Amino acid sequence: MGMKNIKINDKEFELFIEAEKIEKSIGRIAEQINADLKGKNPLFIVVLNGAFMFAADLLKKITIPCEITFVRLASYRGTSNTESVQKILGLTESVENRTVVIVEDIIDSGNTLTALIEELKKHHLREIKIATLFLKPGALKYDLRPDYVAMELPPDFIVGYGLDYDGYGRNLIDIYKLKN
Ligand code: IMP
Ligand code: MG
């Protein structure tokens, strides 16, 4: 267990979820995935940077044959000036006719994931499953139903276990939340 309070740049954070609890939640969804996707040879698409630690722990517990790839999302201006579009970088595997599992760190408003799904749908997949470490149901602005949610959280800002504040805190093994 880490320290109870930490400071990142100008902000104070307090210990919120300990590593063992995260690990147990991940074990639970790994079992679900192993059962649901057996025989489907899924392709896991890990969304960098935030999901790297979750993906490593989740995929160590996946026992069915699968492939794993990593993407990054780049925002750019769409056709209309207000529209922000997400472009997927690094998807080299063919996804046509595959079962893909998007591996995300956190779904907050759902904006990022909605854009990613729209992009992926252009590739004629068989089905898209969503695995997320955290979901903030109170912040969700889109009709998204992730298939595998390790933990549901209140809408507080958190860091650790892959998630950052201003680039820092991704290496923490526990989750800390912003003190207010
Ligand atoms: P959304 O598009 O609003 O769902 O936000 C998704 C992205 O915002 C995540 O992939 C994270 O990178 C970031 N994010 C959302 N909430 C948090 C948080 O509490 N801490 C750190 N990053 C967050
Ligand atoms: Mg993310």
Side-chain angles (χ1 to χ4, degrees):
M1 190 185 105
M3 293 177 296
K4 287 248 182 290
N5 287 288
I6 56 164
K7 195 166 180 195
I8 300 176
N9 294 340
D10 53 326
K11 298 265 192 291
E12 299 257 7
F13 292 84
E14 63 190 359
L15 184 61
F16 183 39
I17 308 164
E18 290 183 38
E20 303 81 68
K21 200 170 169 197
I22 300 170
E23 162 125 36
K24 274 191 194 129
S25 307
I26 294 174
R28 180 177 49 75
I29 62 167
E31 279 177 29
Q32 290 172 7
I33 293 171
N34 286 328
D36 290 357
L37 304 187
K38 196 174 174 188
K40 290 192 165 181
N41 187 33
L43 170 66
F44 288 89
I45 299 180
V46 180
V47 185
L48 296 174
N49 296 327
F52 82 98
M53 209 176 272
F54 168 47
D57 285 345
L58 174 70
L59 291 161
K60 281 186 266 183
K61 297 181 167 77
I62 297 299
T63 53
I64 57 172
C66 64
E67 286 184 274
I68 303 163
T69 194
F70 301 87
V71 299
R72 235 172 213 288
L73 298 180
S75 303
Y76 66 101
R77 283 252 176 270
T79 44
S80 96
N81 218 26
T82 50
E83 186 189 7
S84 170
V85 184
Q86 301 279 349
K87 190 174 155 57
I88 305 171
L89 304 179
L91 190 61
T92 50
E93 285 70 14
S94 171
V95 293
E96 201 162 311
N97 228 14
R98 298 280 308 259
T99 293
V100 307
V101 184
I102 299 172
V103 181
E104 256 289 20
D105 50 359
I106 187 164
I107 304 172
D108 189 30
S109 71
N111 184 43
T112 309
L113 192 57
T114 302
L116 175 60
I117 291 168
E118 285 313 305
E119 273 302 299
L120 281 175
K121 277 186 177 164
K122 296 176 185 166
H123 294 267
H124 310 286
L125 310 148
R126 172 168 297 164
E127 60 182 335
I128 302 178
K129 302 281 187 188
I130 301 157
T132 188
L133 174 60
F134 298 123
L135 173 68
K136 295 178 180 171
L140 203 55
K141 292 197 184 84
Y142 294 80
D143 183 25
L144 276 175
R145 284 151 211 208
D147 303 271
Y148 310 104
V149 178
M151 299 179 93
E152 293 197 353
L153 300 183
D156 312 87
F157 187 83
I158 56 169
V159 294
Y161 202 78
L163 292 152
D164 72 301
Y165 167 59
D166 261 5
Y168 288 86
R170 294 192 196 277
N171 53 311
L172 299 165
I173 64 168
D174 306 296
I175 294 290
Y176 291 78
K177 78 171 175 190
L178 187 62
K179 276 178 97 161
N180 39 35

